[in-house]
Amino acid sequence: MKTLPDIRLRALEPEDLDLLYTIENDMKLWNVGTTNVPYSRYTLHDYIATSSDDIYADRQVRLVVENANGQTVGMADIVHFDPQHQRAEAGIVIMNDCRRQGYGAAALQQLCHYALRVLHLHQLYAVIDADNKAAVQLFHEAGFNVQTELADWLFDGRKYHDALLMQRFL
């Protein structure tokens, strides 16, 4: 088993506005999620300021991933929270210059632990572009299994991509 780097998941702070702005407005990431519009600094500032940090109120939790030196290396999300069925969607974004160093695996491991031990969720799922081999492998190694393939599920502005619905019972 690989040794994962030490990381910390923490709540968004006002100082994270630039990070959030960069991630939310990175058009390359729009292809792997459901967002496909740019966000203004004002909108993101308002989100940080008004977020209650309560998954029952916000239906999501957005966390910053920091390495052992306190440097921001990415973000981890739990979104589309369904309290009745105790499930939610997991997402990880690691900054380009920090990829392939184990931060994604460490963040996903901690996110799953948080979902189970703190949020008491029954399951997490992810919808991943079938061609994104690195993400599929990351989630598979974290205990997520492919449940189905969703044909033409993601649109990148030019063509449709198949997606995999991956699920992990906690």
Side-chain angles (χ1 to χ4, degrees):
M1 184 173 187
K2 296 184 230 176
T3 301
L4 298 177
D6 289 331
I7 60 127
R8 178 174 85 117
L9 300 179
R10 65 163 177 80
L12 279 171
E13 298 288 350
E15 297 80 23
D16 298 316
L17 178 60
D18 288 337
L19 169 70
L20 193 58
Y21 183 81
T22 299
I23 288 173
E24 291 295 345
N25 290 300
D26 184 345
M27 293 172 84
K28 291 181 233 103
L29 296 175
W30 292 355
N31 297 341
V32 299
T34 57
T35 299
N36 61 357
V37 296
Y39 286 98
S40 69
R41 287 185 184 280
Y42 177 82
T43 298
L44 295 172
H45 178 272
D46 189 53
Y47 168 76
I48 293 171
T50 60
S51 175
S52 69
D53 293 327
D54 177 358
I55 195 168
Y56 286 91
D58 299 335
R59 296 292 194 248
Q60 65 180 350
V61 174
R62 307 203 62 194
L63 302 164
V64 173
V65 182
E66 289 183 339
N67 68 15
N69 297 325
Q71 297 168 314
T72 299
V73 297
M75 292 189 67
D77 299 332
I78 295 176
V79 297
H80 303 128
F81 170 61
D82 183 333
Q84 178 181 354
H85 302 291
Q86 291 297 291
R87 66 176 172 240
E89 184 175 357
I92 303 284
V93 174
I94 301 299
M95 306 306 289
N96 286 338
D97 57 340
C98 299
R99 291 183 182 161
R100 304 216 181 271
Q101 298 176 40
Y103 293 124
L108 190 51
Q109 182 182 71
Q110 283 194 23
L111 195 68
C112 289
H113 184 267
Y114 176 75
L116 173 65
R117 300 285 182 222
V118 178
L119 301 177
H120 307 290
L121 296 183
H122 173 63
Q123 61 180 289
L124 287 174
Y125 66 91
V127 177
I128 302 170
D129 186 322
D131 293 329
N132 188 343
K133 302 301 182 201
V136 172
Q137 180 179 348
L138 172 71
F139 278 81
H140 180 72
E141 289 177 358
F144 286 73
N145 294 307
V146 174
Q147 297 302 317
T148 194
E149 184 168 339
L150 304 164
D152 288 352
W153 198 256
L154 302 171
F155 184 63
D156 69 7
R158 293 181 311 279
K159 67 177 190 167
Y160 288 92
H161 298 260
D162 294 346
L164 301 175
L165 174 63
M166 299 186 74
Q167 180 182 38
R168 175 178 167 179
F169 293 98
L170 305 169

